[in-house]
Amino acid sequence: MRQATAGPPPGEPHALASVPLTLPEAGQAACRDFYSMLASGVTVVTTRGPDGPVGSTASAVTSLSADPPLLLVCLGTGSRTLAAIEEQGRFAVNLLRQSQRARAELFADPRAGAAERFAEVDHGTELTVPVLDDTLGWSVCLTEDVRGYGDHCLVVGRIAAVRSAEGRPLLWHDRSFHALADQNVLISAGTDQRPSPETR
């Protein structure tokens, strides 16, 4: 596994090097509003920590490559899950069903410890990594790279085992959970303020 690094490797100067590195507060708020419009599937990223399984809700997850099969996960630099992934060198991405909002909220709640999170959810083990039961699917990944950017890290994993099932995904959009309607349009799964996928 490669060591975590900050930013891109050294090379030619960026064409936008003159752009300020920090936006004013209003610009930061505008960026967060823009990010909130990026609809994405909701996952729980899991791994094994020193005292047992750990995991957190994450919506910044995407496929990166088919050959080799690579996934990219974005986790906050202070994430306990990230620290465990760096230690273990492997993790799982569990895709949540549209009916599993409560599970997403549980794994996003900073007040819930790892033991409490996993006590509430049936789970098994694949390649020594905890995987959640009854999800839309999961993939177990071997960590290829961890690279820091700002207040988050990009984690690239090579898929070593994968399973999928039929169903519809839970979605995160405009700071709330949603489901797909039969007409392939978003319907709200609840707009009350709940813990968001903060990748803790």
Side-chain angles (χ1 to χ4, degrees), residues 75-86:
L75 296 171
T77 53
S79 166
R80 292 169 292 183
T81 304
L82 173 63
I85 289 172
E86 291 182 290

Side-chain angles (χ1 to χ4, degrees), residues 6 13 32 59 67 86 90 142 152 175 179:
R32 288 191 291 271
S59 59
D67 186 17
E86 291 182 290
R90 59 185 63 192
L142 306 180
H152 279 68
R175 301 180 174 93

